[in-house]
Amino acid sequence: MVTYIDAASAPLKNTGAIRLYSADDFEGMRRACQLTARCLDALVPMVQPGVTTSAIDRFVFEFGMDHGALPATLNYRGYKYSVCTSINHVVCHGMPEDKPLRDGDIVNIDVTFLLDGWHGDSSRMYPVGQVKRAAERLMEVTHECLMRGIAAVRPGARTGAIGEAIQTFAEAERCTVVRDFCGHGVGRLFHDSPNILHYGKANEGPEMREGMIFTIEPMINLGKPHVKVLSDGWTAVTRDRSLTAQYEHTVGVTATGCEIFTLSPAGLDAPGLNR
Ligand code: MF3
Ligand code: CO
Ligand code: CO
């Protein structure tokens, strides 16, 4: 059974209940999420051949510090970095390292800032130099998956409508949906209920209600959907080493649909615009 609780009165741990946030809470989320979006915008000119993902990690840390925010991934369950940087066949949770990005790479940069008690979680793909047409197409398909998932958000519909919209489009484009990771409730907590699956059927999952806040973050592969986590305990890669992409927004359910809290103020959300 699904239970919904007033976010203001609920204990700060994931009990499986779905929190409903107030208009004031939405304003807090707007601020945290816009800081994350501005950081992702600021990274656009920096992501070039020769730049290391450690330099990106330092940039995100400094950006947070300069704006009174903490990177939520830092020391999260033993994760040691301010950002996830997932290159080519890395599906998610790629760890920054002192290795330069190379011409033709595609990299997902996933930032979560904790600002005044609110988490803003978003990621985008960044092409490094000139990328192949197949990579360009995968990024376009994945961004379209995210936007179609977002278009399915409205009170009264079930969270499965998001998954169905994403899976239907991805598979029509001869791509596959990663099953092992999902979107999540977010707000005062980084990872909260409900899970948002990127596949499934419209009649599955809990009903969406006004005041819910969650991420949608589809991971889409050119090859098979299967992933494995490397021995470092974090880096998830496609089993067949096929190319993979991910985009993520944090959204809040409104009376008529949803508000995308992490939209780029510079309009740099979609692939092709961020170069
Ligand atoms: N930002 C990721 C998400 O979208 C979570 C990263 S957790 C980490 O949920 F520990 F790997 F950083
Ligand atoms: Co997330
Ligand atoms: Co994220």
Side-chain angles (χ1 to χ4, degrees):
M1 209 206 47
V2 195
T3 59
Y4 300 84
I5 45 171
D6 179 358
S9 62
L12 208 57
K13 61 168 193 267
N14 185 354
T15 59
I18 297 175
R19 263 167 250 274
L20 301 179
Y21 290 98
S22 69
D24 279 354
D25 298 341
F26 269 45
E27 185 51 37
M29 282 300 283
R30 227 166 258 140
R31 291 185 62 244
C33 288
Q34 279 299 295
L35 188 67
T36 296
R38 281 167 55 205
C39 182
L40 292 175
D41 285 353
L43 284 165
V44 171
M46 182 176 177
V47 181
Q48 299 291 343
V51 169
T52 67
T53 44
S54 323
I56 292 170
D57 185 57
R58 286 189 294 274
F59 179 87
V60 171
F61 180 79
E62 290 299 329
F63 192 97
M65 291 302 111
D66 289 349
H67 295 90
L70 206 66
T73 56
L74 201 55
N75 297 316
Y76 178 79
R77 298 181 183 220
Y79 190 82
K80 290 287 162 215
Y81 306 93
S82 299
V83 65
C84 297
T85 49
S86 304
I87 305 167
N88 297 334
H89 67 287
V90 179
V91 172
C92 62
H93 305 162
M95 292 185 286
E97 52 187 349
D98 282 320
K99 212 176 78 187
L101 292 168
R102 298 171 56 192
D103 186 64
D105 286 344
I106 57 170
V107 57
N108 174 278
I109 305 183
D110 191 339
V111 172
T112 308
F113 282 132
L114 175 59
L115 179 69
D116 299 335
W118 298 102
H119 292 84
D121 187 5
S122 184
S123 82
R124 300 180 201 156
M125 298 301 299
Y126 295 75
V128 181
Q130 200 66 33
V131 308
K132 289 210 172 83
R133 180 59 201 150
E136 192 80 51
R137 190 182 80 90
L138 176 63
M139 294 191 291
E140 282 162 5
V141 167
T142 307
H143 185 260
E144 183 63 20
C145 282
L146 171 59
M147 298 319 284
R148 285 180 183 230
I150 290 172
V153 175
R154 58 172 180 82
R158 294 183 179 276
T159 58
I162 300 166
E164 182 175 305
I166 291 169
Q167 183 180 10
T168 301
F169 182 74
E171 293 178 356
E173 294 292 326
R174 286 162 281 107
C175 295
T176 61
V177 179
V178 169
R179 309 293 204 269
D180 303 65
F181 301 97
C182 56
H184 49 91
V186 64
R188 290 278 188 204
L189 289 179
F190 188 0
H191 292 112
D192 202 359
S193 293
N195 284 339
I196 304 295
L197 306 187
H198 304 117
Y199 60 94
K201 290 287 166 208
N203 62 3
E204 296 167 346
E207 184 187 295
M208 291 180 264
R209 298 214 180 151
E210 185 177 356
M212 280 171 67
I213 300 176
F214 51 81
T215 73
I216 305 177
E217 47 183 298
M219 285 141 273
I220 306 294
N221 301 348
L222 279 184
K224 297 217 162 72
H226 311 106
V227 312
K228 72 170 183 190
V229 176
L230 299 185
S231 58
D232 60 26
W234 284 104
T235 314
V237 299
T238 53
R239 278 192 173 272
D240 61 7
R241 294 293 192 272
S242 67
L243 207 59
T244 181
Q246 179 181 29
Y247 284 84
E248 175 178 28
H249 274 312
T250 297
V251 306
V253 182
T254 62
T256 54
C258 74
E259 174 175 345
I260 308 174
F261 292 128
T262 43
L263 269 186
S264 164
L268 300 175
D269 301 285
L273 297 171
N274 60 354
R275 62 192 57 218

